[in-house]
């Protein structure tokens, strides 16, 4: 199998076709059943430890959340009598001046009725005409439009959090964070909940209602403990308000860090446990063109599509969910962003398919540089193209003190790739303290032609003190190719990693990472850029905030470096040393500078294109970069970057421009243009690339939207068009109309001349969720 850049990927070798089914490696036979048995025994329900009830970051004691009587109509007005029994909370400014009084008054009302969790927002404005509603787009960032919402550590595990946000227009945003919000959010996660906003005489208001059945929780001693924060953004002032008083030391994600949330106690929860059945129907057609070698011309193939399928979700317990899927389909997923690869290694593309987003953090075993032992894009995608999935199932949640995740899918055959069964099992539990865990993972990839790849691993993340964390990984893989290499040592088929870091943006931060990957280590369902190497990375940084009233909001400076050594001959393959500086204004405009010194040792030529080839040799080169990022709440954001310097034995100039324009709350335009020019004057060679993206988002209402995404990549001389229309009257009910087409932009340079339209697909998909058991 090829990597996602089209180059060979060390993360998964192509499986040869044919031959008798080989027997599994004797060490794999002995190791894997024992691990699986240990997982099963460990996951057996046991006594759940008492839940921690610490104070919040500002000394706030745990909140005994009141249970209210009476109905609340979700119309955004916060005017029902039942709200009188809710807890009244007030926030403080987080940025730009932490701890200050908000520029505008705001009241948060939080309560539950046993079935739902409610948040009411009364947001006062001295001049209501200044309320900013920049978009009606679903899952919009809370920092581009006025908003209010809450973050929940619903399992009280101090590791994962859910985000529920709405705006004066009632736009809904639901995200998830993992690993104590130390990375970006999962923006593709969706669940069942309601929200509405309204403009009022005093400003604006909003109501949020989240069913407890949509989030999961754990009952210990007849009560539920969750972490929470409530927030408001006033984008015209670049002002964020939060309760409890969480400092901004970790950036915008600070308000979602489970270790910083205030605890609340809920009693008398009586959630329903419905079954959600979502059948779908898909119809459409299209064509593709392929060059026929015998006739020397392009042959058109037409295809019609008519499919039925269904997804089912059932809450086995209050904190354990089962998902089943038959004829799994992702026709509505937007196309990946095109990228230009100027490295020798595979590019990473994030998961966008919603089915694989449900609490996907349980399956994550990150290794740095986007590398991971399990990457769900290895299921149902080959070279970026969808492979039909017969179906599968997933169980995610908690059993006793254990986080549990099991996933199993079965795909059709595609070209040289056989029909496969792909599975992953993951267990994890807290140890030592609330921010540390010990876990294990098993992945398997079995083809119907006898090929297979199996991996097992263990990992631990330990909070040593403060925000200092030590992470340890061990993993080992076995596959059909190992039959001829049984004399390999343990390290040859293994990966081991040690990582120590102090998390945060403010104050002193540092990190050190060491990885060794063996020659035969192959995570068949993971993502690795390199193989058979030892790497080390280190970083040291310092960030500080000048204080209230300063024109600059934050300064930052860091030094980092890394090296990659080949195990084969102990030679250095790559190395980098960099200096980075950051200035952020009070209005959250940001300027970043970067100086990078690189070393590359090529043992074979590096082809950028047919016209530009870098010969074998060792190279030192230096480049500098400057980037500007506009404030997220501005109507127009002219983001830009430029970099230049040496590149191997040549020179490189890169220019990028990524403007965003909120024309109105109904129209949002964004674009990207990237230009790369690499020259090798001594050899008379040159490489140029142009990459352009234009995205138009039309939101006619919170239920109806459309988008147009057009991309041009000169490296492939292709123009890709993705048009989508969505009607979403309620969560779980969707009508999609999708048009995908790829055009040859330089077809007359080919012999024979290529068709204008390389491929086209027009699809209509309707899904409707039935709620059973209520």
């Amino acid at each position: 199998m090829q990597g996602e850049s089209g180059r060979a990927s060390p993360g998964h070798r192509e499986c040869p076709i044919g031959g008798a089914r080989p027997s599994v490696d004797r060490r794999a036979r002995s190791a894997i059943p024992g691990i699986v048995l240990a997982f099963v025994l460990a996951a057996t329900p046991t006594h759940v430890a008492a839940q921690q009830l610490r104070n919040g970051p500002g000394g706030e004691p745990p909140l005994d959340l009141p249970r209210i009587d009476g109905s609340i109509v979700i119309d955004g007005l916060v005017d029902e009598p039942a709200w009188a029994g809710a807890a009244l909370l007030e926030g403080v400014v987080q940025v730009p001046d932490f701890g200050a009084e908000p520029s505008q008054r705001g009241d948060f009302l939080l309560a539950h009725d046993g079935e739902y969790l409610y948040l009411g927002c009364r947001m006062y404005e001295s001049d209501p005409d200044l309320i900013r509603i920049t978009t009606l787009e679903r899952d919009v960032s809370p920092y581009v439009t006025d908003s209010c919402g809450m973050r929940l550590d619903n399992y009280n595990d101090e590791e994962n959090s859910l985000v529920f946000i709405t705006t004066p227009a009632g736009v809904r945003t639901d995200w998830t964070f993992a690993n104590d919000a130390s990375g970006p959010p999962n923006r593709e996660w969706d669940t069942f909940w309601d929200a509405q906003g309204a403009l009022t005489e005093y400003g604006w208001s909003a109501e949020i209602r989240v069913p407890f059945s949509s989030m999961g929780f754990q009952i210990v001693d007849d009560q539920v403990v969750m972490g929470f924060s409530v927030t408001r953004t006033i984008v015209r002032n670049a002002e964020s308000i939060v309760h409890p008083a969480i400092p901004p030391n970790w950036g915008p994600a600070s308000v979602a860090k489970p270790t910083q949330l205030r605890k609340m106690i809920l009693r008398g929860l009586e959630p329903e446990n419905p079954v959600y059945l979502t059948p779908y129907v898909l119809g459409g057609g299209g064509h593709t063109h392929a060059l026929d070698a015998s006739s020397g011309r392009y042959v058109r193939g037409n295809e019609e599509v008519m499919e039925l399928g269904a997804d089912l979700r059932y809450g086995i317990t209050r904190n354990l969910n089962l998902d089943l899927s038959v004829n799994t389909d992702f026709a509505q997923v937007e196309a990946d962003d095109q990228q230009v690869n100027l490295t020798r290694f595979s590019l990473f593309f994030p998961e966008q398919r919603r089915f694989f987003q449900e609490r996907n953090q349980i399956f994550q075993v990150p290794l740095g540089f986007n590398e991971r032992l399990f990457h769900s894009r290895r299921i149902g995608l080959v070279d970026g193209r969808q492979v039909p999935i017969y179906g599968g199932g997933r169980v995610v949640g908690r059993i006793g003190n254990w986080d549990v995740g099991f996933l199993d899918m079965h795909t059709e055959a595609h070209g040289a790739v056989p029909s496969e069964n792909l599975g992953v099992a993951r267990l994890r539990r807290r140890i030592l303290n609330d921010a540390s865990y010990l876990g294990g993972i098993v992945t398997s990839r079995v083809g119907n032609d006898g090929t297979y790849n199996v991996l097992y691993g263990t990992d631990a993340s330990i909070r040593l003190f403060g925000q200092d964390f030590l992470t340890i990984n061990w993993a080992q893989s076995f596959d059909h190719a190992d039959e001829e290499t049984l004399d390999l040592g343990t390290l040859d088929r293994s990966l081991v990693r040690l990582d120590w870091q102090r998390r945060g943006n403010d104050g002193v931060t540092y990190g050190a990472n060491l990885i060794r990957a063996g020659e035969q280590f192959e995570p068949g369902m993971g993502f690795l850029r390199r193989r058979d190497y030892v790497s080390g990375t280190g970083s040291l940084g310092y960030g500080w905030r000048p204080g209230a009233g300063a024109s600059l909001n934050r300064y930052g400076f860091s030094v980092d470096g890394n090296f990659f050594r080949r195990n084969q001959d102990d030679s250095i393959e790559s190395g980098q040393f960099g200096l980075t500086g950051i200035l952020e204004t009070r209005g959250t405009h940001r300027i970043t500078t970067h100086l990078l010194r690189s070393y590359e040792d090529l043992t074979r030529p590096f082809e950028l294109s047919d016209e530009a080839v870098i010969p074998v040799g060792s190279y030192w080169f230096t480049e500098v970069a400057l980037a500007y990022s506009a404030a997220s709440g501005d109507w127009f954001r002219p983001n830009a970057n430029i970099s230049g310097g040496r590149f191997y034995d040549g020179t490189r100039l890169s220019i990028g421009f990524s403007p965003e324009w909120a024309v109105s709350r109904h129209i949002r335009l964004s674009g990207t243009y990237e230009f790369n020019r690499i020259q090798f004057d001594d050899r008379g060679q040159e490489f140029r690339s142009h990459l352009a993206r234009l995205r138009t988002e039309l939101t006619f209402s919170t239920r109806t939207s459309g988008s147009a995404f057009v991309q041009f990549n000169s490296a492939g001389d292709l123009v890709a068009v993705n048009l989508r229309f969505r009607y979403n009257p309620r969560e779980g009910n969707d009508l999609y109309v999708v048009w995908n087409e790829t055009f040859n932009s330089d077809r007359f340079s080919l012999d024979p001349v290529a068709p204008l339209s390389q491929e086209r697909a027009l699809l209509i998909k309707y899904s409707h969720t039935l709620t059973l058991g209520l």
Side-chain angles (χ1 to χ4, degrees):
M1 180 180 291
Q2 296 295 303
E4 296 190 277
S5 67
R7 294 185 171 89
S9 168
H12 183 198
R13 289 198 302 269
E14 186 173 356
C15 302
I17 304 301
R21 177 182 295 272
S23 61
V24 179
D25 184 304
R26 62 176 178 268
R27 281 167 288 186
R29 286 201 305 266
S30 63
I32 295 168
I35 295 167
V36 175
L37 177 60
F39 279 6
V40 172
L41 293 176
T44 302
T46 59
H47 174 71
V48 181
Q51 304 192 59
Q52 299 297 318
L53 285 173
R54 56 164 175 76
N55 288 342
E60 302 89 352
L63 172 66
D64 200 336
L65 192 67
R67 174 168 176 159
I68 58 175
D69 296 320
S71 62
I72 292 179
V73 178
I74 305 301
D75 55 12
L77 295 176
V78 199
D79 58 357
E80 290 83 3
W83 283 113
L88 176 62
L89 306 170
E90 296 181 353
V92 299
V93 171
Q94 188 191 54
V95 292
D97 301 321
F98 176 61
E101 289 290 327
S103 63
Q104 306 292 324
R105 177 188 165 192
D107 295 334
F108 301 98
L109 301 170
L110 192 63
H112 78 94
D113 64 1
E115 185 177 356
Y116 298 96
L117 180 65
Y118 296 91
L119 174 66
C121 305
R122 295 192 182 117
M123 305 289 101
Y124 296 84
E125 284 284 354
S126 56
D127 186 352
D129 291 338
L130 297 180
I131 296 172
R132 190 168 295 184
I133 306 173
T134 59
T135 181
L136 299 180
E137 182 183 353
R138 174 74 191 269
D139 285 327
V140 64
S141 167
Y143 303 104
V144 305
T145 183
D146 285 1
S147 65
C148 74
M150 57 184 170
R151 281 76 170 169
L152 301 172
D153 177 8
N154 52 307
Y155 284 109
N156 192 34
D157 59 13
E158 304 229 331
E159 184 177 355
N160 306 298
S161 61
L162 310 179
V163 177
F164 299 97
I165 297 167
T166 193
T167 73
V171 176
R172 292 181 301 149
T173 292
D174 46 5
W175 297 347
T176 65
F177 280 93
N179 199 22
D180 197 26
S182 60
N186 173 5
R187 300 170 184 262
E188 303 300 321
W189 178 76
D190 289 325
T191 192
F192 294 89
W193 62 292
D194 300 294
Q196 191 55 260
L199 298 176
T200 65
E201 293 181 354
Y202 57 81
W204 65 278
S205 60
E207 294 173 315
I208 292 176
R209 179 178 66 190
V210 183
F212 287 111
S213 60
S214 289
M215 66 176 79
F217 56 89
Q218 241 182 189
I219 296 179
V220 180
D221 299 329
D222 297 324
Q223 67 182 25
V224 174
V225 177
M226 297 184 184
F228 81 97
S229 69
V230 291
T231 61
R232 176 190 186 183
T233 55
I234 307 174
V235 296
R236 70 177 184 276
N237 298 335
E239 183 177 348
S240 296
I241 299 160
V242 63
H243 176 95
I246 301 175
N249 300 2
W250 304 272
S254 299
V255 297
K257 287 181 71 67
T259 55
Q260 298 299 308
L261 303 183
R262 183 183 178 185
K263 301 298 184 181
M264 63 177 176
I265 304 169
L266 304 94
R267 296 181 176 86
L269 298 194
E270 300 172 355
E272 300 287 347
N273 190 23
V275 177
Y276 297 107
L277 177 63
T278 307
Y280 79 84
V281 57
L282 172 70
H287 67 251
T288 60
H289 284 94
L291 182 62
D292 180 55
S294 61
S295 63
R297 59 189 183 88
Y298 285 89
V299 177
R300 172 171 171 151
N302 296 316
E303 182 179 3
E304 294 183 355
V305 177
M306 178 59 69
E307 294 184 3
L308 298 174
D311 296 330
L312 182 143
R313 173 176 295 180
Y314 171 65
I316 301 173
T317 67
R318 293 185 179 92
N319 51 11
L320 192 66
N321 291 324
L322 167 68
D323 291 273
L324 299 175
S325 181
V326 177
N327 200 20
T328 313
D329 177 78
F330 308 105
Q332 73 277 12
V333 175
E334 187 176 69
D336 288 319
D337 287 353
Q338 292 280 322
Q339 300 182 45
V340 175
N341 193 358
L342 298 179
T343 74
R344 295 176 285 131
F345 309 103
S346 298
L347 295 173
F348 176 82
F349 289 87
E351 178 63 85
Q352 299 190 74
R353 298 169 295 176
R354 187 176 301 174
F355 179 84
F356 295 110
Q357 296 295 334
E358 172 67 20
R359 261 208 115 198
N360 71 335
Q361 59 267 26
I362 180 62
F363 298 108
Q364 294 179 8
V365 185
L367 304 173
F369 298 101
N370 284 324
E371 297 185 334
R372 54 199 64 193
L373 297 182
F374 172 72
H375 187 30
S376 57
R377 282 183 64 103
R378 295 302 186 201
I379 302 174
L381 287 172
V382 175
D383 295 337
R385 293 182 174 273
Q386 291 192 26
V387 175
I389 300 177
Y390 291 123
R394 173 184 58 214
V395 175
V396 177
R398 174 166 289 185
I399 301 176
N401 293 315
W402 290 83
D403 292 319
V404 178
F406 297 95
L407 174 69
D408 189 82
M409 307 294 289
H410 203 94
T411 62
E412 290 186 17
H414 179 83
V417 179
S419 176
E420 294 181 299
N421 180 269
L422 305 105
V424 56
R426 175 82 162 129
L427 292 176
R428 186 177 61 193
R429 67 165 295 162
R430 281 185 288 179
I431 59 172
L432 302 179
N433 55 60
D434 289 339
S436 303
Y437 71 82
L438 173 68
I441 187 171
V442 174
T443 70
S444 68
R445 183 172 202 139
V446 181
N448 65 357
D449 63 344
T451 58
Y452 67 90
N453 177 279
V454 178
L455 174 146
Y456 76 91
T458 61
D459 62 307
S461 178
I462 302 170
R463 184 170 68 182
L464 302 174
F465 48 86
Q467 290 297 311
D468 280 62
F469 287 79
L470 173 66
T471 302
I472 304 171
N473 298 92
W474 164 269
Q476 196 168 44
S477 68
F478 307 87
D479 62 35
H480 60 276
D482 293 338
E483 294 296 317
E484 300 176 358
T485 57
L486 291 179
D487 58 338
L488 288 175
T490 300
L491 288 178
D492 291 319
R493 62 176 84 245
S494 304
L495 177 143
V496 60
R497 170 178 178 255
L498 296 174
D499 178 84
W500 185 322
Q501 61 174 295
R502 183 185 188 276
R503 298 174 182 173
N505 291 334
D506 293 353
V508 177
T509 59
Y510 45 79
N513 182 291
L514 183 65
I515 297 178
R516 187 193 190 281
E519 178 184 1
Q520 293 297 318
F521 178 71
E522 298 288 352
M525 293 183 64
F527 178 79
L528 283 184
R529 285 188 172 89
R530 308 181 192 229
R531 59 186 291 181
D532 196 22
Y533 70 92
V534 171
S535 73
T537 63
S539 63
L540 176 64
Y542 186 76
W544 69 100
R545 299 176 186 272
S551 58
L552 290 176
N553 183 46
R554 181 179 175 271
Y555 306 82
F557 178 78
S558 65
V559 181
D560 57 84
N562 63 68
F563 73 88
F564 291 85
R565 191 199 71 181
R566 302 182 183 96
N567 290 333
Q568 184 178 13
D569 57 8
D570 295 332
S571 63
I572 299 298
E573 181 181 22
S574 303
Q576 290 183 326
F577 176 79
L579 303 174
T580 302
I582 298 174
L583 294 177
E584 184 178 279
T585 71
R586 187 176 181 86
T588 67
H589 297 263
R590 175 176 291 193
I591 296 175
T592 303
T593 60
H594 193 56
L595 172 66
L596 184 65
R597 178 73 168 162
S598 300
Y599 171 80
E600 293 288 345
D601 181 57
L602 302 182
T603 57
R604 58 184 178 182
F606 174 24
E607 296 185 8
L608 292 170
S609 67
D610 293 338
E611 295 77 27
V613 181
I614 303 172
V616 172
S618 298
Y619 302 88
W620 281 98
F621 49 98
T622 304
E623 69 174 354
V624 295
L626 177 67
Y628 165 73
S629 176
S632 58
D634 288 355
W635 290 95
F636 180 70
R637 305 181 64 226
N639 308 306
N641 64 82
I642 184 171
S643 63
R646 301 292 297 178
F647 186 77
Y648 291 85
D649 60 338
T651 60
R652 170 185 171 186
L653 174 66
S654 298
I655 299 174
F657 184 52
S658 302
E660 299 178 23
W661 182 22
V663 181
S664 71
R665 69 177 66 182
H666 300 287
I667 303 174
R668 191 173 186 87
L669 305 176
S670 62
T672 296
Y673 173 70
E674 297 178 7
F675 169 72
N676 287 282
R677 186 193 68 194
I678 300 175
Q679 293 178 305
F680 304 98
D681 293 336
D682 293 344
R683 300 195 302 276
Q685 296 181 348
E686 182 180 71
F687 171 83
R688 294 191 178 212
S689 69
H690 301 267
L691 177 63
R693 308 186 195 103
L694 178 62
R695 180 182 276 106
T696 302
E697 298 285 350
L698 303 176
T699 47
F700 308 104
S701 68
T702 56
R703 298 180 177 181
T704 309
S705 63
S707 66
F709 186 28
V710 181
Q711 302 185 79
F712 166 69
N713 190 344
S714 65
D717 292 322
L718 297 173
V719 175
V721 179
N722 174 245
L723 305 179
R724 298 192 307 163
F725 170 83
R726 181 187 185 188
Y727 176 58
N728 175 223
R730 61 184 292 268
E731 191 65 46
N733 295 356
D734 281 294
L735 172 66
Y736 280 98
V737 180
V738 181
W739 176 34
N740 291 314
E741 186 151 7
T742 301
F743 298 95
N744 291 299
S745 61
D746 192 21
R747 62 195 188 100
F748 292 106
S749 67
L750 302 176
D751 185 20
V753 175
L756 176 62
S757 174
Q758 182 67 34
E759 57 185 6
R760 175 188 300 157
L762 176 62
L763 301 169
I764 300 175
K765 180 179 179 179
Y766 178 70
S767 59
H768 187 92
T769 298
L770 305 173
T771 305
L772 311 176
L774 288 178

